[in-house]
Amino acid sequence: MASGLLGTLCFPPFNQSWLCWIALTPLVVAIWFSGENSRRRWLRNLLLGYVAGIVFFTFTFSWLGALGDLYQSFFLHGLSLLLSIYLAMHFAFWAWFVGSIRPPAFIASWRNLLVAFVAASAWVTHEWTRGWLFSGFGWNGLGVALHAEWPMIQIAELTGVVGLSFAIVFANIIAVTTPLRLFAEARTHRMRPHFDLTLTMIGIVALLAFGLHRGQHPSPTKPVRIAAVQAGVPQLQKFDPQFTGEVFERFRRLSEIALAANPPPDLLVWPESSMPDPVRDQNTESYRFVTDFSAAMKTDLMLGTLDVEDSHDYNAALLVSHSGERVQIYRKIHLVPFGEYIPLRHSFPLFAAIASTWVPGDFARGTEHTVFSLTNADVRAAPLICFEDTVGDLVRRFVVNGANLLVDVTNDGWFLHSSGSRQHVANALFRCVENRRPMVRAANTGVTCFVNEFGRVTQILQDDTGNTFNEGVLTGEINVPQDRYLTFYAQHGELFAELCVAVTLLSLVFIFVRRKRGLI
């Protein structure tokens, strides 16, 4: 339980990132040094991990309960607990695994390093698996706790964010073995070199040094003028016909503020599902509004919208060139389960009937990683929608296709003024580091901001009190890289995670063989 609470404090709204370096130590100590007389110690270890996972995910994702306030539903207030019942299984696996690799003694540096290496690999395995299994929900891996420490996170361009998780777990294991080793050496009055602690500290310093060095060598860039609109439309009004006129007026008024700049922006961005109905349907008010508005300006417009084709509904993004002469479309690929579709809706009719109260129909999944070409030929934009900016392997495919600017249109209005929007940004900014591409985020409510290629938030829309939920316009310049440089991560994706999976599988084989022979 203590590890679950310490892990929770690492993330927004608390942001005590330093705790990540010791967050797992209570769990490891409990696994290794309690329940020695238990008949089924392996089951006890599973339960210890499961409880820690329940606590961590329930409290970390407590912002999901805002849906209960939005829809006045007692059931929805418990979403984080329901989600944690599944997600905690990943913690349980790791706890069992760590219990299975406990060294017989802690004197040998090489053995402590090996245990730390294998335990960190297993942690990466569970985070990577959590990111794709059953559509995946990979938020708040341990590495994300360092989102504000920009020099420390630059290694993500090689390993992805899971590389940071590896380093943190490795350090947690050494933080447990080192005091035990010192205690044992004090009893025997025989001190030895602590290569395990020394090499771990050198590794952490090396991460910091790499990040500082990388930050001094930015890519060649050109400034691009961007304006992002945060309309702040209440969630229950977005698709209500009686508020259509008010929605149009908000976007017109805020966009005119952005376009009044001299020179005007190269790109104006509206958030996800900004219009009440499909913009490409010529029979809708939204089509007429966007067509008339774009015809009167000299700026490209990117917006989120619903799209319908062949009886399929899509969550989409459009790029309307200035004067409205050309329209490009991207249809969302990574759909959110229970938000944009109900898994196995047709297999479990009773469950589907209950869930359909909030998700009456399923969106269809897009298939193309479309890159938008702006009128400004220096910019090729990756149109990301909502949580897609938290999925590393998805984003890198846009970059491989030529994108040099990441643009996320999102709507965190579902979660009211909770910490969900801040966690969203914390997870998203790693896409900039992994691919060395800056990001524009335009939110309906939440966090509208600009992020540079090093994962630093350079501009953010907020009032004097730090509130990020008000309507407004964020304008400024973003330095867009002009070379075609692809990072190691962009080229090879989750290779580091896959290598960790291989290490974990080999370790499991070793564990089962030794157990079969009665050696453990």
mmCIF file of all heavy atoms in Angstrom, residues 325-362:
data_model
loop_
_atom_site.group_PDB
_atom_site.id
_atom_site.type_symbol
_atom_site.label_atom_id
_atom_site.label_comp_id
_atom_site.label_asym_id
_atom_site.label_seq_id
_atom_site.Cartn_x
_atom_site.Cartn_y
_atom_site.Cartn_z
ATOM 1 N N GLU A 325 -9.874 26.291 -50.061
ATOM 2 C CA GLU A 325 -9.800 25.638 -51.362
ATOM 3 C C GLU A 325 -9.461 24.146 -51.269
ATOM 4 O O GLU A 325 -9.775 23.373 -52.166
ATOM 5 C CB GLU A 325 -8.756 26.350 -52.234
ATOM 6 C CG GLU A 325 -9.120 27.806 -52.534
ATOM 7 C CD GLU A 325 -8.009 28.510 -53.276
ATOM 8 O OE1 GLU A 325 -6.932 27.910 -53.439
ATOM 9 O OE2 GLU A 325 -8.222 29.665 -53.683
ATOM 10 N N ARG A 326 -8.811 23.737 -50.179
ATOM 11 C CA ARG A 326 -8.375 22.351 -50.060
ATOM 12 C C ARG A 326 -8.650 21.841 -48.656
ATOM 13 O O ARG A 326 -8.421 22.562 -47.679
ATOM 14 C CB ARG A 326 -6.878 22.239 -50.369
ATOM 15 C CG ARG A 326 -6.328 20.815 -50.307
ATOM 16 C CD ARG A 326 -4.813 20.830 -50.452
ATOM 17 N NE ARG A 326 -4.247 19.492 -50.370
ATOM 18 C CZ ARG A 326 -2.963 19.242 -50.145
ATOM 19 N NH1 ARG A 326 -2.117 20.245 -49.965
ATOM 20 N NH2 ARG A 326 -2.506 18.004 -50.083
ATOM 21 N N VAL A 327 -9.139 20.602 -48.547
ATOM 22 C CA VAL A 327 -9.437 19.988 -47.248
ATOM 23 C C VAL A 327 -8.717 18.653 -47.161
ATOM 24 O O VAL A 327 -8.825 17.821 -48.067
ATOM 25 C CB VAL A 327 -10.951 19.794 -47.053
ATOM 26 C CG1 VAL A 327 -11.217 19.073 -45.736
ATOM 27 C CG2 VAL A 327 -11.685 21.128 -47.091
ATOM 28 N N GLN A 328 -7.969 18.462 -46.077
ATOM 29 C CA GLN A 328 -7.308 17.187 -45.795
ATOM 30 C C GLN A 328 -7.943 16.588 -44.538
ATOM 31 O O GLN A 328 -8.343 17.320 -43.638
ATOM 32 C CB GLN A 328 -5.808 17.401 -45.573
ATOM 33 C CG GLN A 328 -5.101 18.039 -46.775
ATOM 34 C CD GLN A 328 -3.683 18.475 -46.454
ATOM 35 O OE1 GLN A 328 -2.817 17.664 -46.122
ATOM 36 N NE2 GLN A 328 -3.430 19.781 -46.553
ATOM 37 N N ILE A 329 -8.011 15.263 -44.486
ATOM 38 C CA ILE A 329 -8.701 14.608 -43.384
ATOM 39 C C ILE A 329 -7.866 13.487 -42.791
ATOM 40 O O ILE A 329 -7.170 12.764 -43.512
ATOM 41 C CB ILE A 329 -10.085 14.070 -43.823
ATOM 42 C CG1 ILE A 329 -10.838 13.471 -42.621
ATOM 43 C CG2 ILE A 329 -9.944 13.046 -44.944
ATOM 44 C CD1 ILE A 329 -12.285 13.145 -42.916
ATOM 45 N N TYR A 330 -7.910 13.390 -41.475
ATOM 46 C CA TYR A 330 -7.319 12.270 -40.732
ATOM 47 C C TYR A 330 -8.394 11.702 -39.819
ATOM 48 O O TYR A 330 -9.109 12.440 -39.133
ATOM 49 C CB TYR A 330 -6.122 12.724 -39.902
ATOM 50 C CG TYR A 330 -5.747 11.725 -38.826
ATOM 51 C CD1 TYR A 330 -5.176 10.498 -39.153
ATOM 52 C CD2 TYR A 330 -5.998 11.994 -37.478
ATOM 53 C CE1 TYR A 330 -4.858 9.563 -38.177
ATOM 54 C CE2 TYR A 330 -5.676 11.068 -36.492
ATOM 55 C CZ TYR A 330 -5.107 9.856 -36.841
ATOM 56 O OH TYR A 330 -4.803 8.936 -35.884
ATOM 57 N N ARG A 331 -8.520 10.385 -39.808
ATOM 58 C CA ARG A 331 -9.484 9.707 -38.951
ATOM 59 C C ARG A 331 -8.744 8.978 -37.840
ATOM 60 O O ARG A 331 -7.789 8.237 -38.090
ATOM 61 C CB ARG A 331 -10.316 8.726 -39.780
ATOM 62 C CG ARG A 331 -11.262 9.454 -40.732
ATOM 63 C CD ARG A 331 -11.831 8.549 -41.774
ATOM 64 N NE ARG A 331 -12.831 9.239 -42.593
ATOM 65 C CZ ARG A 331 -13.231 8.834 -43.786
ATOM 66 N NH1 ARG A 331 -12.730 7.722 -44.304
ATOM 67 N NH2 ARG A 331 -14.135 9.521 -44.455
ATOM 68 N N LYS A 332 -9.198 9.179 -36.632
ATOM 69 C CA LYS A 332 -8.510 8.692 -35.453
ATOM 70 C C LYS A 332 -8.298 7.184 -35.500
ATOM 71 O O LYS A 332 -9.240 6.430 -35.754
ATOM 72 C CB LYS A 332 -9.289 9.085 -34.192
ATOM 73 C CG LYS A 332 -8.529 8.833 -32.908
ATOM 74 C CD LYS A 332 -9.330 9.272 -31.687
ATOM 75 C CE LYS A 332 -8.498 9.069 -30.426
ATOM 76 N NZ LYS A 332 -9.291 9.297 -29.205
ATOM 77 N N ILE A 333 -7.074 6.766 -35.209
ATOM 78 C CA ILE A 333 -6.702 5.358 -35.260
ATOM 79 C C ILE A 333 -6.839 4.691 -33.894
ATOM 80 O O ILE A 333 -7.374 3.598 -33.777
ATOM 81 C CB ILE A 333 -5.254 5.213 -35.785
ATOM 82 C CG1 ILE A 333 -5.175 5.665 -37.244
ATOM 83 C CG2 ILE A 333 -4.759 3.779 -35.637
ATOM 84 C CD1 ILE A 333 -3.764 5.721 -37.792
ATOM 85 N N HIS A 334 -6.345 5.359 -32.864
ATOM 86 C CA HIS A 334 -6.337 4.760 -31.520
ATOM 87 C C HIS A 334 -7.575 5.228 -30.757
ATOM 88 O O HIS A 334 -7.598 6.325 -30.203
ATOM 89 C CB HIS A 334 -5.071 5.161 -30.763
ATOM 90 C CG HIS A 334 -4.917 4.456 -29.442
ATOM 91 N ND1 HIS A 334 -4.334 3.218 -29.328
ATOM 92 C CD2 HIS A 334 -5.288 4.812 -28.193
ATOM 93 C CE1 HIS A 334 -4.343 2.843 -28.058
ATOM 94 N NE2 HIS A 334 -4.920 3.797 -27.346
ATOM 95 N N LEU A 335 -8.597 4.397 -30.745
ATOM 96 C CA LEU A 335 -9.846 4.743 -30.075
ATOM 97 C C LEU A 335 -9.773 4.398 -28.589
ATOM 98 O O LEU A 335 -9.101 3.444 -28.194
ATOM 99 C CB LEU A 335 -11.023 4.002 -30.724
ATOM 100 C CG LEU A 335 -11.238 4.270 -32.219
ATOM 101 C CD1 LEU A 335 -12.421 3.453 -32.733
ATOM 102 C CD2 LEU A 335 -11.448 5.756 -32.482
ATOM 103 N N VAL A 336 -10.479 5.168 -27.794
ATOM 104 C CA VAL A 336 -10.482 4.973 -26.342
ATOM 105 C C VAL A 336 -11.606 4.011 -25.966
ATOM 106 O O VAL A 336 -12.781 4.315 -26.209
ATOM 107 C CB VAL A 336 -10.675 6.311 -25.610
ATOM 108 C CG1 VAL A 336 -10.707 6.095 -24.091
ATOM 109 C CG2 VAL A 336 -9.566 7.292 -25.988
ATOM 110 N N PRO A 337 -11.270 2.845 -25.387
ATOM 111 C CA PRO A 337 -12.331 1.914 -24.986
ATOM 112 C C PRO A 337 -13.232 2.524 -23.922
ATOM 113 O O PRO A 337 -12.772 3.239 -23.038
ATOM 114 C CB PRO A 337 -11.557 0.702 -24.443
ATOM 115 C CG PRO A 337 -10.199 1.228 -24.103
ATOM 116 C CD PRO A 337 -9.931 2.347 -25.047
ATOM 117 N N PHE A 338 -14.526 2.269 -24.041
ATOM 118 C CA PHE A 338 -15.556 2.775 -23.144
ATOM 119 C C PHE A 338 -15.755 4.288 -23.264
ATOM 120 O O PHE A 338 -16.565 4.857 -22.544
ATOM 121 C CB PHE A 338 -15.264 2.398 -21.681
ATOM 122 C CG PHE A 338 -15.087 0.929 -21.475
ATOM 123 C CD1 PHE A 338 -13.822 0.403 -21.267
ATOM 124 C CD2 PHE A 338 -16.165 0.070 -21.537
ATOM 125 C CE1 PHE A 338 -13.632 -0.965 -21.097
ATOM 126 C CE2 PHE A 338 -15.990 -1.300 -21.374
ATOM 127 C CZ PHE A 338 -14.729 -1.808 -21.152
ATOM 128 N N GLY A 339 -15.006 4.905 -24.158
ATOM 129 C CA GLY A 339 -15.216 6.316 -24.431
ATOM 130 C C GLY A 339 -15.667 6.529 -25.866
ATOM 131 O O GLY A 339 -16.587 7.296 -26.136
ATOM 132 N N GLU A 340 -15.005 5.795 -26.797
ATOM 133 C CA GLU A 340 -15.337 5.915 -28.214
ATOM 134 C C GLU A 340 -15.879 4.605 -28.796
ATOM 135 O O GLU A 340 -16.357 4.599 -29.915
ATOM 136 C CB GLU A 340 -14.098 6.380 -28.982
ATOM 137 C CG GLU A 340 -13.703 7.804 -28.611
ATOM 138 C CD GLU A 340 -12.362 8.221 -29.184
ATOM 139 O OE1 GLU A 340 -11.401 7.425 -29.089
ATOM 140 O OE2 GLU A 340 -12.272 9.343 -29.700
ATOM 141 N N TYR A 341 -15.757 3.548 -28.050
ATOM 142 C CA TYR A 341 -16.383 2.289 -28.458
ATOM 143 C C TYR A 341 -16.493 1.392 -27.229
ATOM 144 O O TYR A 341 -15.772 1.571 -26.236
ATOM 145 C CB TYR A 341 -15.586 1.595 -29.563
ATOM 146 C CG TYR A 341 -14.325 0.915 -29.094
ATOM 147 C CD1 TYR A 341 -14.283 -0.470 -28.906
ATOM 148 C CD2 TYR A 341 -13.161 1.645 -28.831
ATOM 149 C CE1 TYR A 341 -13.128 -1.095 -28.475
ATOM 150 C CE2 TYR A 341 -12.010 1.028 -28.401
ATOM 151 C CZ TYR A 341 -11.988 -0.345 -28.220
ATOM 152 O OH TYR A 341 -10.845 -0.965 -27.795
ATOM 153 N N ILE A 342 -17.389 0.424 -27.299
ATOM 154 C CA ILE A 342 -17.570 -0.546 -26.223
ATOM 155 C C ILE A 342 -16.977 -1.876 -26.684
ATOM 156 O O ILE A 342 -17.469 -2.475 -27.637
ATOM 157 C CB ILE A 342 -19.061 -0.743 -25.867
ATOM 158 C CG1 ILE A 342 -19.672 0.579 -25.427
ATOM 159 C CG2 ILE A 342 -19.206 -1.801 -24.775
ATOM 160 C CD1 ILE A 342 -19.077 1.168 -24.191
ATOM 161 N N PRO A 343 -15.889 -2.350 -26.050
ATOM 162 C CA PRO A 343 -15.319 -3.643 -26.449
ATOM 163 C C PRO A 343 -16.355 -4.765 -26.294
ATOM 164 O O PRO A 343 -17.102 -4.808 -25.317
ATOM 165 C CB PRO A 343 -14.154 -3.826 -25.452
ATOM 166 C CG PRO A 343 -13.838 -2.444 -24.970
ATOM 167 C CD PRO A 343 -15.130 -1.708 -24.973
ATOM 168 N N LEU A 344 -16.395 -5.629 -27.274
ATOM 169 C CA LEU A 344 -17.284 -6.802 -27.240
ATOM 170 C C LEU A 344 -18.739 -6.395 -27.028
ATOM 171 O O LEU A 344 -19.501 -7.092 -26.358
ATOM 172 C CB LEU A 344 -16.836 -7.769 -26.135
ATOM 173 C CG LEU A 344 -15.374 -8.241 -26.199
ATOM 174 C CD1 LEU A 344 -15.039 -9.094 -24.990
ATOM 175 C CD2 LEU A 344 -15.111 -9.012 -27.487
ATOM 176 N N ARG A 345 -19.132 -5.287 -27.637
ATOM 177 C CA ARG A 345 -20.496 -4.792 -27.464
ATOM 178 C C ARG A 345 -21.529 -5.843 -27.872
ATOM 179 O O ARG A 345 -22.561 -6.007 -27.209
ATOM 180 C CB ARG A 345 -20.696 -3.519 -28.296
ATOM 181 C CG ARG A 345 -22.103 -2.934 -28.192
ATOM 182 C CD ARG A 345 -22.314 -1.828 -29.207
ATOM 183 N NE ARG A 345 -21.519 -0.648 -28.921
ATOM 184 C CZ ARG A 345 -21.944 0.369 -28.163
ATOM 185 N NH1 ARG A 345 -23.140 0.323 -27.596
ATOM 186 N NH2 ARG A 345 -21.178 1.427 -27.971
ATOM 187 N N HIS A 346 -21.258 -6.555 -28.942
ATOM 188 C CA HIS A 346 -22.243 -7.501 -29.466
ATOM 189 C C HIS A 346 -22.125 -8.896 -28.828
ATOM 190 O O HIS A 346 -22.978 -9.744 -29.046
ATOM 191 C CB HIS A 346 -22.098 -7.610 -30.979
ATOM 192 C CG HIS A 346 -22.261 -6.295 -31.681
ATOM 193 N ND1 HIS A 346 -23.444 -5.603 -31.713
ATOM 194 C CD2 HIS A 346 -21.350 -5.533 -32.358
ATOM 195 C CE1 HIS A 346 -23.280 -4.468 -32.386
ATOM 196 N NE2 HIS A 346 -22.022 -4.406 -32.788
ATOM 197 N N SER A 347 -21.078 -9.102 -28.033
ATOM 198 C CA SER A 347 -20.907 -10.398 -27.381
ATOM 199 C C SER A 347 -21.592 -10.463 -26.019
ATOM 200 O O SER A 347 -21.961 -11.538 -25.555
ATOM 201 C CB SER A 347 -19.409 -10.705 -27.218
ATOM 202 O OG SER A 347 -18.770 -10.729 -28.479
ATOM 203 N N PHE A 348 -21.738 -9.306 -25.375
ATOM 204 C CA PHE A 348 -22.354 -9.254 -24.049
ATOM 205 C C PHE A 348 -23.457 -8.201 -24.064
ATOM 206 O O PHE A 348 -23.239 -7.056 -23.646
ATOM 207 C CB PHE A 348 -21.295 -8.927 -22.984
ATOM 208 C CG PHE A 348 -20.192 -9.929 -22.904
ATOM 209 C CD1 PHE A 348 -18.994 -9.712 -23.586
ATOM 210 C CD2 PHE A 348 -20.343 -11.093 -22.178
ATOM 211 C CE1 PHE A 348 -17.957 -10.631 -23.527
ATOM 212 C CE2 PHE A 348 -19.312 -12.026 -22.107
ATOM 213 C CZ PHE A 348 -18.131 -11.806 -22.779
ATOM 214 N N PRO A 349 -24.638 -8.570 -24.542
ATOM 215 C CA PRO A 349 -25.727 -7.609 -24.730
ATOM 216 C C PRO A 349 -26.126 -6.863 -23.454
ATOM 217 O O PRO A 349 -26.399 -5.659 -23.498
ATOM 218 C CB PRO A 349 -26.884 -8.477 -25.243
ATOM 219 C CG PRO A 349 -26.214 -9.677 -25.844
ATOM 220 C CD PRO A 349 -25.006 -9.918 -25.010
ATOM 221 N N LEU A 350 -26.153 -7.546 -22.291
ATOM 222 C CA LEU A 350 -26.557 -6.880 -21.059
ATOM 223 C C LEU A 350 -25.558 -5.795 -20.679
ATOM 224 O O LEU A 350 -25.935 -4.667 -20.352
ATOM 225 C CB LEU A 350 -26.679 -7.903 -19.922
ATOM 226 C CG LEU A 350 -27.070 -7.327 -18.548
ATOM 227 C CD1 LEU A 350 -28.423 -6.626 -18.633
ATOM 228 C CD2 LEU A 350 -27.088 -8.433 -17.490
ATOM 229 N N PHE A 351 -24.256 -6.153 -20.756
ATOM 230 C CA PHE A 351 -23.215 -5.170 -20.465
ATOM 231 C C PHE A 351 -23.295 -4.002 -21.438
ATOM 232 O O PHE A 351 -23.191 -2.833 -21.058
ATOM 233 C CB PHE A 351 -21.851 -5.836 -20.540
ATOM 234 C CG PHE A 351 -20.701 -4.874 -20.521
ATOM 235 C CD1 PHE A 351 -20.349 -4.229 -19.356
ATOM 236 C CD2 PHE A 351 -19.981 -4.612 -21.679
ATOM 237 C CE1 PHE A 351 -19.289 -3.326 -19.339
ATOM 238 C CE2 PHE A 351 -18.929 -3.720 -21.677
ATOM 239 C CZ PHE A 351 -18.587 -3.086 -20.488
ATOM 240 N N ALA A 352 -23.484 -4.310 -22.720
ATOM 241 C CA ALA A 352 -23.559 -3.261 -23.739
ATOM 242 C C ALA A 352 -24.753 -2.347 -23.487
ATOM 243 O O ALA A 352 -24.672 -1.126 -23.700
ATOM 244 C CB ALA A 352 -23.649 -3.881 -25.127
ATOM 245 N N ALA A 353 -25.861 -2.918 -23.030
ATOM 246 C CA ALA A 353 -27.048 -2.112 -22.776
ATOM 247 C C ALA A 353 -26.794 -1.105 -21.664
ATOM 248 O O ALA A 353 -27.239 0.056 -21.734
ATOM 249 C CB ALA A 353 -28.222 -3.015 -22.416
ATOM 250 N N ILE A 354 -26.058 -1.538 -20.631
ATOM 251 C CA ILE A 354 -25.736 -0.620 -19.529
ATOM 252 C C ILE A 354 -24.759 0.462 -20.002
ATOM 253 O O ILE A 354 -24.959 1.653 -19.771
ATOM 254 C CB ILE A 354 -25.140 -1.409 -18.347
ATOM 255 C CG1 ILE A 354 -26.178 -2.395 -17.803
ATOM 256 C CG2 ILE A 354 -24.672 -0.454 -17.259
ATOM 257 C CD1 ILE A 354 -25.621 -3.334 -16.757
ATOM 258 N N ALA A 355 -23.687 0.038 -20.689
ATOM 259 C CA ALA A 355 -22.662 0.982 -21.138
ATOM 260 C C ALA A 355 -23.188 1.940 -22.192
ATOM 261 O O ALA A 355 -22.695 3.075 -22.326
ATOM 262 C CB ALA A 355 -21.455 0.222 -21.677
ATOM 263 N N SER A 356 -24.204 1.530 -22.938
ATOM 264 C CA SER A 356 -24.739 2.371 -24.012
ATOM 265 C C SER A 356 -25.418 3.627 -23.490
ATOM 266 O O SER A 356 -25.699 4.547 -24.268
ATOM 267 C CB SER A 356 -25.722 1.563 -24.868
ATOM 268 O OG SER A 356 -25.031 0.550 -25.575
ATOM 269 N N THR A 357 -25.665 3.678 -22.192
ATOM 270 C CA THR A 357 -26.198 4.908 -21.607
ATOM 271 C C THR A 357 -25.247 6.070 -21.853
ATOM 272 O O THR A 357 -25.668 7.201 -22.074
ATOM 273 C CB THR A 357 -26.407 4.723 -20.088
ATOM 274 O OG1 THR A 357 -27.273 3.613 -19.865
ATOM 275 C CG2 THR A 357 -27.000 5.976 -19.461
ATOM 276 N N TRP A 358 -23.945 5.764 -21.818
ATOM 277 C CA TRP A 358 -22.936 6.821 -22.003
ATOM 278 C C TRP A 358 -22.247 6.725 -23.364
ATOM 279 O O TRP A 358 -21.746 7.729 -23.869
ATOM 280 C CB TRP A 358 -21.888 6.715 -20.889
ATOM 281 C CG TRP A 358 -22.522 6.830 -19.537
ATOM 282 C CD1 TRP A 358 -22.990 7.973 -18.940
ATOM 283 C CD2 TRP A 358 -22.796 5.767 -18.620
ATOM 284 N NE1 TRP A 358 -23.537 7.696 -17.717
ATOM 285 C CE2 TRP A 358 -23.429 6.340 -17.477
ATOM 286 C CE3 TRP A 358 -22.573 4.399 -18.635
ATOM 287 C CZ2 TRP A 358 -23.832 5.589 -16.392
ATOM 288 C CZ3 TRP A 358 -22.974 3.652 -17.544
ATOM 289 C CH2 TRP A 358 -23.600 4.237 -16.431
ATOM 290 N N VAL A 359 -22.205 5.546 -23.960
ATOM 291 C CA VAL A 359 -21.585 5.386 -25.279
ATOM 292 C C VAL A 359 -22.602 4.694 -26.181
ATOM 293 O O VAL A 359 -22.577 3.471 -26.356
ATOM 294 C CB VAL A 359 -20.281 4.564 -25.204
ATOM 295 C CG1 VAL A 359 -19.565 4.574 -26.567
ATOM 296 C CG2 VAL A 359 -19.362 5.101 -24.127
ATOM 297 N N PRO A 360 -23.517 5.460 -26.770
ATOM 298 C CA PRO A 360 -24.609 4.841 -27.524
ATOM 299 C C PRO A 360 -24.175 4.132 -28.797
ATOM 300 O O PRO A 360 -24.854 3.232 -29.283
ATOM 301 C CB PRO A 360 -25.525 6.027 -27.837
ATOM 302 C CG PRO A 360 -24.647 7.235 -27.720
ATOM 303 C CD PRO A 360 -23.642 6.921 -26.676
ATOM 304 N N GLY A 361 -23.047 4.526 -29.368
ATOM 305 C CA GLY A 361 -22.573 3.898 -30.598
ATOM 306 C C GLY A 361 -21.066 3.890 -30.660
ATOM 307 O O GLY A 361 -20.391 4.595 -29.907
ATOM 308 N N ASP A 362 -20.513 3.078 -31.536
ATOM 309 C CA ASP A 362 -19.064 2.945 -31.661
ATOM 310 C C ASP A 362 -18.544 3.769 -32.828
ATOM 311 O O ASP A 362 -19.126 3.765 -33.917
ATOM 312 C CB ASP A 362 -18.677 1.482 -31.890
ATOM 313 C CG ASP A 362 -18.997 0.600 -30.700
ATOM 314 O OD1 ASP A 362 -19.189 1.152 -29.596
ATOM 315 O OD2 ASP A 362 -19.072 -0.635 -30.878
#
